[in-house]
Amino acid sequence: MKINRIKYRGFGRYVDQEFLFHEGLNLLEAPNEAGKTTMIYGLLGLLYGGKKEGYRVRREQEWVTQYLPWKTEEYGGELDYEVLGKKYRLIRDLQPKQEYEQVIDLDTGRDLSESFPMDKKKDRFIVERQIGISGDTYKRIGYFHAGSLLAAQHNKEDEKKNRQLVDKMTQLLKQGAELDVTPIMECLDKGIDTIGKTEHAKNKPFGILSETKKKLEADIAQLRNRRQALDQEEQKFEQALHEKDELLIALEELETELETLESENIEQQKFALAYEQFKKILLEETMYKRNYQKLQIAQEEKRDLDEKLERWNKVPITEKELQDIEIWNQRKVQIQADQQASKEQLELVQLEKEAIYENQIFPREESEITWNLAKLREYEEIELQAKNLGEPKHLEKRATLQRLEQDHIQFQQLEKKEVTLHEKKEQLKKDALLLPTPKDSQMERLLWIATGVFGIVSICTLFFSLWFTVGSLAITFGSAWFATKQTETKRIRNRKISQQRNEVENNLEIMNQDLTKLTQRKTLILNMWQVESLAELFARREEYQAIVSKEEEYFREWEYLQKQMNQIEREVGNWLSSYLEDVPPFHIPTWRQRIYQLQKQHAIYKEQDYKLDLQIHSLKRDLEKGEQEWEKINLLLEEIQKKFGFDSIETLGNWIQSSGERKQIEWRRQEVKKKIQQLEMAEVEESWQQNLVELISQREQLISSWRGKTSLLAQKSLDEEIAIIKQKRVDLISSLQKLENEIGKVEGALEEKQEIVTRLSQLETQWEMTVRKMSELKAEKEAFELAKEVLQESAQEIQEDLSPRLSPIASHWINRITESRYEKILIDPTEGMQISVFAPETGKREPVESLSTGTIDQMYLALRVALVQFYSNEASHRLPMILDDCFVHFDNKRLRKTLGLLSELAKDHQIIICTCQPRERQMMRDSKIPFHQISLDKNNN
C-alpha cells in the first residue's frame, strides 16, 4: 500500500490544503505545534474513520472533537492511495454522527462503495478489507511514535491491544496450514451464542426456554391457586342456596303482612274523606252565620253614624272658607316640615362636603398628576436609550481579559522554563559525553595470565624441585590475590560509571517528560485562545483590552441612565405611596393606570364638590322662600281669627279638625249604607236561610253515620308502616337478586373448574418437556465449551510458534542497528509481545526494560520493523510506515545508522518521518539518502 495524496477540506488547522507523498522516504520537518501530529491523525482518520473499534455502541475516537476544523464547517477530505498496483481515492466526511465515505477507482472512475457492503453497525471497512488489517492493528504495527517504542505499560488496554496483535499475526501463520482453528472457534462461539451463554440471554433458545419455564411455573402456581379458590367458591355456593331459601320465606311473610295493612289503610282513608266533608260543611255553616253577623254589625254602625250627624252643630263659617283655612293651615304645617327637612338636608350636605375633604385619597391639584405622568414618559425615553446601548457585559469580558492576561503571563513563564530546561538538557548531554567509558584493566589480564603460568609451572616442577615449586606457588597465590583485587576495583569503578550514566539518562528522561508537559500546556493555552504564537496571544490580549475599555465607557453611560431611572422610580413611587395603601411593583403601564385612576377620582371629586355647592345654595334659597311664605300664611290666619272672633289660632284649628271629622263620618256613613245594601242583595240571591238549613241536615246525617267508628280518628296513619314494609320488601328483593347474581357467577366459575383442571394438566406436561429440552441444550452447550477449550489449547501451541518467525527478522535489524552488540532479540507472544536480549556483559537473558532508554527504543523499533515485514510478507501488502518523533532518545551515531537501514527498508515500503529537528534532514543529505520533503506551509503545496 502507498499513500499518494491527501487533501483536507477541513481538519484542525488545515482548511482546503493538499499534500503529496512519494515512494520511499518522505520527511515532514516542522517545529513543535506546527501541525505534524494533526497531519498524522488526519491521515489515519481518512484511512479508518473516527469510530472506535470493538464497541457495540458507537463511540468516537478522542481526536475527533480535538481536531474539529477551526474555520469551516466541513470536516474530512480526500485520500489517494495504491493497493496491489490499483489506484483509489477515498473521500470521507468525519463529522460526528454524520460520517460518510466513498471509494473511487481512479483508473476507471467507477464508484466502488457498494462493493464494500455495510455491516449491522453501518460500517463498510473499506481499507480494512483491501489490506486485511484494522486501524488499531495498523497503529500497533506501522505507526511509530516515541511512546509506542516504549515497553507496554501493563494496563488492561495495552494487554488487550497486544493480544489482538498476536492473534492477527497468529492468524497469518495459520493461513495455508491444513488446520485453521479460527473458523472452528468462530463456529463453536456461534453455537454457544446461538444456544445462549446464560439463562439471562432472553433472545437465545436457552434463555427463551428458561423464560418459558418460569412463565409455566408462574401459570401453574396461578392455576393451582385458582383451583383452591374455586373449591372455596363451591362451599359458598351451597351456603348461598340456603340463604336464598330463607329470603324467599321472609319475602312471603312480608307480602301477607302488606296485604293486611293495605286493606286497613283503605278503610281509614274512606273515613278520612268523610271527615274532611264534615269539616267542609262546618266551614260553610260558619260562613253563612258570619254573613248574618256582618249584616247586623253594619246596620248598628249606620244607626250610630246617623245619630252623630244629627247632633252636629251648625258651623259659623261657610264650607268654602273652612276649606281655605284648612288648606292654609296644612300649607303652614307643610312649610314647617319642609323647612325642617331642608335644614337637616343642608347639614347633611355640609357634612358630606367636609367628609370629602377629610377622607380624600386623591390629589387636590391637577398639576401633581400631570407632573408624575411626564416623569413616567421621561423614564420610558431613558429606558429606550439604555436598551439601545444594550446591557454592558464588561464584567464577563473583564473576567475573560483577566484569564487571558494570566494565560499570557503563564505562557511567558512556560517559555522561560522551556529555555531553562533545554539549557539543562544540553548541559546534561555534555556531562554524559564527559563520563568515562568502562574499560578492561591490562594489569588484571597480565596478573591472571601470570597466575595461570606460575600455576602450571608449579604443577610441572612439583617432582623436580621443592623450593622452586614453593616459590612458584607463592607467586601464583600472590598474582591471584592481586588479580582479584584488580577485578574488584574494576567492578566497583564500572558500577559507579554505570550508576552515573543511569542517573544522567534518568534526568534526561525526566527533562523530556517536563518538556513534553510544558509543550502540552503551551498548546492548551494557544488552542484555548485559538492563536498560534505568543505574539498572537499578546495581540489577542490587546484586542480584549480595547473591547473592555469601550464596554466600560458604555457601562458608565448606561449606569448614569440607570440612576436617572431609579430616581424617577423613587419620586413617583413616593408620590403614589401618599395616596395608595399598597403600591404595586414598578411597572410603567401599571403605575400609569393607577395615576389615571387617581386623575379620574380627582375629576369625580371636583364634580361632587360642584354639585354639593349647588345643592347648598339651592337649599338656602328654599329656606328663605319658605320663611317668607310662612309669614304670609300666618298674617292671613290672624286676619281670619279677627274676622270670625276666634279666641286663638288653636280654636280655629279645632274647628278645622272638627270639620274634617264630620266629613269622615259622612263618608263612612255612605260606605256602610252601600255595604248593607250589598249584604241584603246577597242574602236574597244566595238563599242564605235555605242553604243553612240544608247544611245542618247534612251535618246531622254524617254524625249519625260515625257511630261506632270514631276510634279510627285516634289511630295512627298506616302509610309510614306500609312504606317501611315496602322498603323491607325492596331490600329483600335486592338481596335476593344479588344472591342470584353471585350464584350465577359461582355456577360459571364451577363450570370453569373442569377447564382449569385440564389446563393445569397440560401446563405441567409442557413444563416437564421444557425442563427436558433445557437439559439437552445445557449438555450441548457444555459440549461446545469443552471443544472450544481443547481448540484454545491447540491454538496456544500454534501461537507459541510465532516467536521463531518474528525473532530472526527483529534480530537481523537489532544486530545491524547496534553494530552486532546485540545479536539476538527474544520475543514472547504469550506475554503480549514482551521482548528480551542476551546481555553481552553477563551472557544472561535480560528484559529490555533493564537497558538504557536509547537501547530500548532501538529494540522496539526493530520489533516494529519486524512486524511490518512479517505482515507484509504473509499478507502480500507492503504496509507504509509512519515515524512520528521516534528518535528523540537516539544519539547522532544511532540515528545515522538507523536512517541508513530505513533507506534500505524504503525500497519496499513507503516511510513517512515526522520530526521537529533538522538533524534527520542534515544526516540524510550528508549520507546522500534520497527523500521527499513535505512542507506544511499552504503556499508551498
Side-chain angles (χ1 to χ4, degrees):
M1 181 180 182
K2 186 180 74 171
I3 308 298
N4 293 330
R5 183 184 74 101
I6 299 176
K7 181 177 181 181
Y8 294 116
R9 293 192 303 275
F11 193 90
R13 67 174 69 224
Y14 298 125
V15 177
D16 196 22
Q17 278 188 259
E18 183 178 288
F19 301 94
L20 301 178
F21 296 84
H22 292 185
E23 292 183 353
L25 283 171
N26 293 266
L27 178 64
L28 198 161
E29 178 188 325
N32 288 330
E33 309 303 327
K36 300 190 302 298
T37 306
T38 305
M39 166 73 75
I40 299 304
Y41 274 102
L43 171 59
L44 295 174
L46 291 177
L47 277 171
Y48 292 103
K51 292 198 300 185
K52 282 188 175 181
E53 299 177 8
Y55 291 92
R56 293 184 178 179
V57 181
R58 177 189 178 94
R59 293 187 183 179
E60 305 294 342
Q61 297 277 6
E62 288 78 3
W63 57 261
V64 172
T65 54
Q66 182 180 354
Y67 293 109
L68 286 169
W70 293 3
K71 300 177 181 179
T72 182
E73 296 296 328
E74 296 188 31
Y75 191 12
E78 303 172 4
L79 177 68
D80 293 355
Y81 61 97
E82 295 182 22
V83 176
L84 299 177
K86 292 186 177 182
K87 295 181 180 180
Y88 302 94
R89 173 169 293 173
L90 180 58
I91 303 168
R92 193 182 292 274
D93 188 347
L94 298 173
Q95 197 69 33
K97 297 183 181 179
Q98 299 178 5
E99 208 171 69
Y100 166 79
E101 62 242 345
Q102 183 185 29
V103 60
I104 306 297
D105 186 340
L106 292 179
D107 295 328
T108 63
R110 291 175 54 238
D111 187 350
L112 303 178
S113 303
E114 297 302 324
S115 302
F116 301 91
M118 290 185 179
D119 61 1
K120 294 181 180 179
K121 299 179 184 177
K122 296 185 178 180
D123 292 324
R124 294 188 184 275
F125 297 115
I126 296 172
V127 177
E128 292 91 328
R129 291 173 179 172
Q130 286 180 328
I131 66 174
I133 187 171
S134 67
D136 285 347
T137 306
Y138 174 72
K139 289 177 186 177
R140 300 188 76 81
I141 295 177
Y143 173 45
F144 309 159
H145 56 88
S148 68
L149 295 182
L150 298 177
Q153 300 300 315
H154 300 293
N155 55 46
K156 293 183 178 179
E157 186 65 22
D158 278 331
E159 291 176 1
K160 178 181 177 182
K161 299 295 183 182
N162 283 335
R163 284 197 301 271
Q164 292 176 351
L165 180 60
V166 172
D167 291 342
K168 184 65 179 178
M169 298 297 106
T170 305
Q171 183 179 356
L172 288 173
L173 278 178
K174 292 185 290 185
Q175 288 177 355
E178 294 182 0
L179 178 61
D180 188 359
V181 182
T182 303
I184 301 174
M185 293 291 288
E186 292 177 355
C187 183
L188 291 175
D189 286 334
K190 186 176 180 181
I192 294 172
D193 187 62
T194 302
I195 294 171
K197 296 181 180 180
T198 63
E199 295 181 358
H200 301 290
K202 297 183 178 180
N203 296 326
K204 305 297 181 181
F206 194 72
I208 293 170
L209 287 174
S210 177
E211 290 294 323
T212 304
K213 177 187 171 186
K214 292 178 182 178
K215 185 177 180 182
L216 288 172
E217 289 173 350
D219 292 343
I220 289 170
Q222 185 178 3
L223 287 175
R224 286 175 179 170
N225 293 334
R226 180 61 179 159
R227 186 176 63 183
Q228 292 177 359
L230 288 175
D231 292 338
Q232 296 176 0
E233 292 292 333
E234 192 171 4
Q235 295 177 0
K236 290 181 181 179
F237 177 71
E238 298 295 335
Q239 184 178 356
L241 290 176
H242 179 68
E243 291 178 1
K244 180 181 178 182
D245 294 338
E246 292 180 351
L247 288 176
L248 288 172
I249 294 171
L251 185 61
E252 290 178 359
E253 293 176 354
L254 277 178
E255 292 289 349
T256 303
E257 184 178 359
L258 184 62
E259 288 178 1
T260 303
L261 288 175
E262 285 180 345
S263 61
E264 292 178 0
N265 190 40
I266 290 171
E267 291 295 328
Q268 192 175 19
Q269 288 177 354
K270 289 180 179 179
F271 183 78
L273 290 173
Y275 184 71
E276 291 295 327
Q277 186 179 3
F278 174 75
K279 289 194 292 182
K280 185 178 179 182
I281 290 171
L282 285 178
L283 183 62
E284 291 179 357
E285 183 179 348
T286 304
M287 184 185 66
Y288 283 122
K289 289 180 179 181
R290 285 180 180 175
N291 287 337
Y292 274 114
Q293 187 177 4
K294 288 179 182 179
L295 180 60
Q296 293 175 359
I297 291 170
Q299 290 173 350
E300 290 178 359
E301 185 179 2
K302 182 176 179 299
R303 287 193 294 271
D304 292 338
L305 291 173
D306 289 341
E307 291 177 359
K308 287 181 180 181
L309 287 175
E310 289 177 358
R311 290 195 301 269
W312 193 266
N313 296 323
K314 185 177 179 181
V315 181
I317 58 178
T318 63
E319 185 70 21
K320 178 69 172 57
E321 292 174 339
L322 186 61
Q323 289 178 357
D324 293 339
I325 293 171
E326 183 179 1
I327 291 171
W328 291 337
N329 193 40
Q330 289 178 355
R331 180 58 184 161
K332 184 179 178 182
V333 173
Q334 181 66 35
I335 289 171
Q336 290 177 345
D338 291 342
Q339 289 289 90
Q340 184 64 29
S342 296
K343 289 179 181 179
E344 292 176 356
Q345 189 174 1
L346 180 61
E347 291 177 358
L348 290 175
V349 172
Q350 290 174 345
L351 289 174
E352 184 178 357
K353 184 173 181 179
E354 292 175 1
I356 291 174
Y357 285 106
E358 290 176 358
N359 301 324
Q360 68 169 0
I361 53 172
F362 46 84
R364 289 191 178 185
E365 299 298 332
E366 180 72 20
S367 60
E368 295 181 26
I369 299 172
T370 306
W371 184 85
N372 283 282
L373 288 174
K375 281 291 182 181
L376 289 181
R377 286 194 297 273
E378 181 182 356
Y379 184 96
E380 288 177 333
E381 293 173 357
I382 296 172
E383 186 180 27
L384 182 59
Q385 294 177 12
K387 286 182 179 178
N388 291 333
L389 285 176
E391 185 174 355
K393 298 182 180 178
H394 69 289
L395 295 178
E396 178 182 351
K397 293 189 176 179
R398 174 161 288 281
T400 304
L401 177 60
Q402 290 175 354
R403 291 198 302 272
L404 181 55
E405 290 175 345
Q406 292 173 0
D407 288 344
H408 182 261
I409 295 170
Q410 186 180 7
F411 194 89
Q412 290 177 332
Q413 294 173 352
L414 290 174
E415 285 199 332
K416 292 178 181 179
K417 288 182 181 179
E418 188 177 15
V419 172
T420 303
L421 285 174
H422 276 298
E423 291 175 353
K424 290 182 179 179
K425 182 179 176 182
E426 293 298 326
Q427 185 62 40
L428 280 174
K429 287 181 179 180
K430 292 177 181 178
D431 294 342
L433 294 174
L434 295 175
L435 289 175
T437 304
K439 297 180 180 179
D440 292 336
S441 175
Q442 188 70 22
M443 180 61 71
E444 178 189 1
R445 287 199 295 270
L446 292 174
L447 287 172
W448 282 114
I449 293 171
T451 300
V453 170
F454 282 106
I456 295 171
V457 169
S458 299
I459 296 171
C460 293
T461 60
L462 181 62
F463 302 101
F464 299 100
S465 176
L466 179 61
W467 292 105
F468 191 81
T469 302
V470 172
S472 297
L473 286 173
I475 294 172
T476 300
F477 285 119
S479 299
W481 184 80
F482 280 112
T484 304
K485 294 294 289 181
Q486 287 290 330
T487 302
E488 181 66 22
T489 302
K490 182 192 74 172
R491 186 179 63 82
I492 293 171
R493 184 177 68 253
N494 290 342
R495 184 173 61 189
K496 288 181 179 179
I497 293 172
S498 178
Q499 288 177 352
Q500 291 175 352
R501 285 185 175 277
N502 289 334
E503 184 177 355
V504 170
E505 289 176 353
N506 289 334
N507 290 334
L508 283 172
E509 179 65 24
I510 292 171
M511 286 185 180
N512 286 328
Q513 293 177 358
D514 292 341
L515 284 171
T516 302
K517 291 179 181 178
L518 285 175
T519 303
Q520 290 176 351
R521 290 169 65 184
K522 287 168 62 180
T523 303
L524 182 62
I525 293 172
L526 293 174
N527 289 339
M528 180 185 297
W529 299 107
Q530 296 183 355
V531 295
E532 297 183 358
S533 64
L534 178 61
E536 292 184 7
L537 187 63
F538 178 77
R540 182 63 57 86
R541 190 192 70 174
E542 294 296 321
E543 178 184 350
Y544 263 93
Q545 283 179 344
I547 293 172
V548 170
S549 298
K550 189 173 182 180
E551 286 289 338
E552 287 180 345
E553 182 180 350
Y554 284 152
F555 174 73
R556 285 191 294 272
E557 184 176 356
W558 180 83
E559 191 177 30
Y560 173 73
L561 294 176
Q562 291 294 324
K563 287 181 180 178
Q564 286 185 314
M565 291 163 63
N566 292 334
Q567 179 67 22
I568 292 172
E569 179 183 351
R570 188 163 51 254
E571 291 176 357
V572 178
N574 292 336
W575 181 79
L576 279 174
S577 63
S578 61
Y579 298 108
L580 299 178
E581 294 181 0
D582 186 12
V583 179
F586 180 71
H587 183 235
I588 288 181
T590 304
W591 281 24
R592 183 179 285 124
Q593 184 65 30
R594 293 300 174 89
I595 293 174
Y596 285 155
Q597 291 176 359
L598 291 175
Q599 191 176 30
K600 289 180 181 178
Q601 291 176 357
H602 174 79
I604 293 171
Y605 151 71
K606 286 292 185 182
E607 184 178 357
Q608 287 179 347
D609 187 65
Y610 177 73
K611 288 182 179 179
L612 289 174
D613 287 340
L614 289 177
Q615 195 172 0
I616 290 170
H617 179 72
S618 176
L619 288 172
K620 287 182 178 179
R621 187 179 58 191
D622 291 343
L623 285 173
E624 291 178 357
K625 289 181 179 180
E627 288 178 358
Q628 294 175 1
E629 186 179 359
W630 187 85
E631 289 177 358
K632 289 180 180 180
I633 293 172
N634 196 35
L635 289 173
L636 287 173
L637 289 176
E638 287 178 355
E639 292 177 358
I640 291 171
Q641 176 185 353
K642 292 177 181 179
K643 178 180 179 180
F644 292 103
F646 289 110
D647 297 333
S648 64
I649 296 298
E650 287 77 9
T651 305
L652 180 60
N654 292 332
W655 274 101
I656 293 171
Q657 186 178 3
S658 300
S659 175
E661 290 177 358
R662 186 181 66 180
K663 290 180 180 180
Q664 289 180 357
I665 291 170
E666 289 179 350
W667 176 81
R668 179 61 184 164
R669 180 173 175 277
Q670 293 296 327
E671 290 293 325
V672 171
K673 186 176 179 181
K674 289 180 182 179
K675 185 176 180 181
I676 291 171
Q677 291 175 355
Q678 290 174 356
L679 289 172
E680 289 176 349
M681 289 176 64
E683 179 184 8
V684 175
E685 292 175 356
E686 296 176 4
S687 304
W688 288 357
Q689 186 67 28
Q690 183 180 354
N691 291 336
L692 185 60
V693 172
E694 291 178 357
L695 288 173
I696 292 171
S697 174
Q698 291 177 5
R699 176 167 56 82
E700 291 178 352
Q701 289 177 2
L702 286 174
I703 291 171
S704 61
S705 64
W706 287 353
R707 290 180 183 144
K709 297 181 180 179
T710 54
S711 59
L712 293 174
L713 291 173
Q715 288 184 1
K716 186 179 179 181
S717 176
L718 298 177
D719 291 337
E720 184 176 353
E721 188 173 353
I722 290 171
I724 292 171
I725 293 175
K726 286 183 177 180
Q727 184 61 42
K728 287 182 180 180
R729 183 178 65 178
V730 170
D731 294 340
L732 282 175
I733 292 171
S734 177
S735 300
L736 188 61
Q737 289 176 349
K738 289 181 181 179
L739 196 59
E740 288 177 348
N741 290 334
E742 291 179 0
I743 291 171
K745 291 179 181 178
V746 173
E747 286 177 348
L750 292 177
E751 292 176 358
E752 183 187 358
K753 182 177 180 181
Q754 185 59 38
E755 296 178 1
I756 290 174
V757 172
T758 305
R759 177 65 177 159
L760 183 60
S761 176
Q762 293 175 352
L763 290 179
E764 288 173 346
T765 303
Q766 291 179 11
W767 180 82
E768 292 175 357
M769 293 174 64
T770 302
V771 171
R772 185 164 61 252
K773 288 181 180 179
M774 285 183 67
S775 300
E776 293 173 356
L777 283 178
K778 188 173 182 181
E780 186 178 353
K781 182 168 69 73
E782 290 174 353
F784 279 134
E785 290 174 347
L786 179 60
K788 182 180 175 182
E789 183 178 353
V790 173
L791 285 174
Q792 283 177 339
E793 293 176 357
S794 302
Q796 181 69 23
E797 295 175 358
I798 297 173
Q799 191 180 83
E800 292 173 354
D801 293 337
L802 180 61
S803 179
R805 301 290 297 275
L806 284 175
S807 294
I809 305 174
S811 298
H812 166 75
W813 287 100
I814 198 61
N815 185 21
R816 296 189 62 184
I817 291 174
T818 62
E819 296 181 341
S820 303
R821 176 173 175 79
Y822 297 98
E823 297 181 353
K824 189 173 184 180
I825 185 171
L826 304 175
I827 303 172
D828 188 359
T830 61
E831 295 296 329
M833 302 299 283
Q834 295 297 316
I835 61 177
S836 58
V837 294
F838 289 108
E841 294 83 4
T842 62
K844 295 181 181 179
R845 181 175 180 266
E846 300 289 346
V848 294
E849 286 76 14
S850 63
L851 305 177
S852 66
T853 305
T855 306
I856 292 173
D857 283 356
Q858 287 179 325
M859 295 293 177
Y860 279 96
L861 178 60
L863 172 62
R864 302 297 287 275
V865 172
L867 288 172
V868 170
Q869 285 193 319
F870 173 80
Y871 181 83
S872 299
N873 293 333
E874 296 294 334
S876 300
H877 288 290
R878 300 298 174 187
L879 292 179
M881 297 169 57
I882 303 173
L883 290 80
D884 185 8
D885 281 333
C886 297
F887 309 126
V888 292
H889 300 130
F890 283 33
D891 55 24
N892 290 337
K893 183 178 179 182
R894 286 172 175 167
L895 179 59
R896 186 174 287 105
K897 189 67 176 177
T898 303
L899 290 175
L901 296 177
L902 288 177
S903 67
E904 296 181 15
L905 188 63
K907 296 176 181 178
D908 296 323
H909 297 270
Q910 185 184 40
I911 300 176
I912 302 171
I913 300 176
C914 301
T915 180
C916 61
Q917 301 178 9
R919 62 173 185 162
E920 285 87 347
R921 169 173 50 82
Q922 190 63 42
M923 285 185 181
M924 285 193 289
R925 286 180 177 175
D926 294 343
S927 302
K928 296 183 179 180
I929 298 174
F931 67 93
H932 167 65
Q933 186 167 0
I934 301 170
S935 175
L936 296 180
D937 187 2
K938 185 174 182 180
N939 296 326
N940 296 331
N941 291 286

